[in-house]
């Protein structure tokens, strides 16, 4: 079982998602090769009478938020975790700006505050940490101004 499958399994047992979202997670978790297959996803959508993955975006955004929170429990998001989030976003059809369009600013801000606290723990931001900060901005599809606003809020709180 891949790291992504293990983490999704933890999330699926911890959180309550609506039927189709749970089914999509189950498809990933139970894939013996650890694949995230859009064709299998599309078949599940069709069987559930859902035309597009974007029709359940509100639910799938919650999976990304929950995944990021769980990953941050042990520290900063790793490269693997960032890649997994990117894969999940593609699988769920999540685009830049979707977190804000769906009123998840508070949740994103909380996650980024935690990430920033860990990055600035030593009072220094090295090149690797700066790259990680940029990747985190990308995970949530934030514009430069949106991200800068969160960073300013972090230092002003």
């Amino acid at each position: 079982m891949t790291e992504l499958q293990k983490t999704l399994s933890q999330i699926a047992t911890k959180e309550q998602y609506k039927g189709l979202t749970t089914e999509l997670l189950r498809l990933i978790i139970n894939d013996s090769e650890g694949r995230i297959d859009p064709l299998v996803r599309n078949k599940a959508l069709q069987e559930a009478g859902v035309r597009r993955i974007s029709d359940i975006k509100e639910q799938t955004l919650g999976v990304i938020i929950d995944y990021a929170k769980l990953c941050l429990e042990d520290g900063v998001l790793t490269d693997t975790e960032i890649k997994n989030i990117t894969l999940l976003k593609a699988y769920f059809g999540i685009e830049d700006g979707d977190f804000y369009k769906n009123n998840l600013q508070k949740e994103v801000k909380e996650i980024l505050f935690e990430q920033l606290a860990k990055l600035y723990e030593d009072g220094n931001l090295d090149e690797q940490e700066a790259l990680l900060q940029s990747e985190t901005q990308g995970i949530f599809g934030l514009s430069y101004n949106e991200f800068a606003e969160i960073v300013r809020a972090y230092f002003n709180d």
Side-chain angles (χ1 to χ4, degrees):
M1 185 175 266
T2 67
E3 182 181 324
L4 175 61
Q5 289 171 306
K6 288 177 189 173
T7 305
L8 288 177
S9 183
Q10 291 174 344
I11 291 170
T13 57
K14 242 169 95 169
E15 303 297 332
Q16 296 296 316
Y17 301 109
K18 293 187 179 170
L20 183 54
T21 303
T22 301
E23 175 63 16
L24 294 175
L25 290 174
R26 189 190 63 72
L27 290 171
I28 297 170
I29 293 165
N30 293 332
D31 187 290
S32 61
E33 296 178 26
R35 292 175 297 161
I36 299 180
D37 191 341
L39 296 175
V40 173
R41 175 206 63 204
N42 291 345
K43 183 178 178 193
L45 291 173
Q46 184 180 15
E47 288 172 0
V50 175
R51 292 182 46 171
R52 297 176 306 271
I53 188 69
S54 60
D55 292 342
I56 60 167
K57 191 168 286 197
E58 186 176 303
Q59 299 165 46
T60 58
L61 285 167
V63 172
I64 303 299
I65 294 285
D66 294 337
Y67 185 90
K69 285 180 180 178
L70 186 62
C71 291
L72 282 168
E73 283 180 1
D74 66 353
V76 187
L77 290 171
T78 66
D79 288 338
T80 300
E81 291 165 339
I82 289 170
K83 287 176 187 167
N84 287 341
I85 291 172
T86 303
L87 283 171
L88 286 173
K89 282 178 54 182
Y91 181 76
F92 290 134
I94 296 170
E95 300 170 347
D96 287 352
D98 280 347
F99 290 95
Y100 271 41
K101 288 177 198 169
N102 288 276
N103 298 315
L104 294 169
Q105 297 93 330
K106 180 181 175 215
E107 290 82 351
V108 169
K109 184 177 176 181
E110 287 172 5
I111 291 168
L112 290 176
F113 269 33
E114 189 170 338
Q115 180 81 346
L116 290 168
K118 297 201 186 320
L119 289 174
Y120 288 103
E121 199 169 51
D122 62 1
N124 215 359
L125 187 67
D126 64 27
E127 187 177 326
Q128 182 68 22
E129 291 169 330
L131 180 60
L132 189 59
Q133 187 175 353
S134 173
E135 289 173 337
T136 305
Q137 174 186 347
I139 285 172
F140 296 108
L142 301 173
S143 70
Y144 175 82
N145 288 338
E146 290 166 339
F147 188 74
E149 183 180 312
I150 290 171
V151 172
R152 274 193 301 277
Y154 170 76
F155 284 108
N156 292 328
D157 277 0

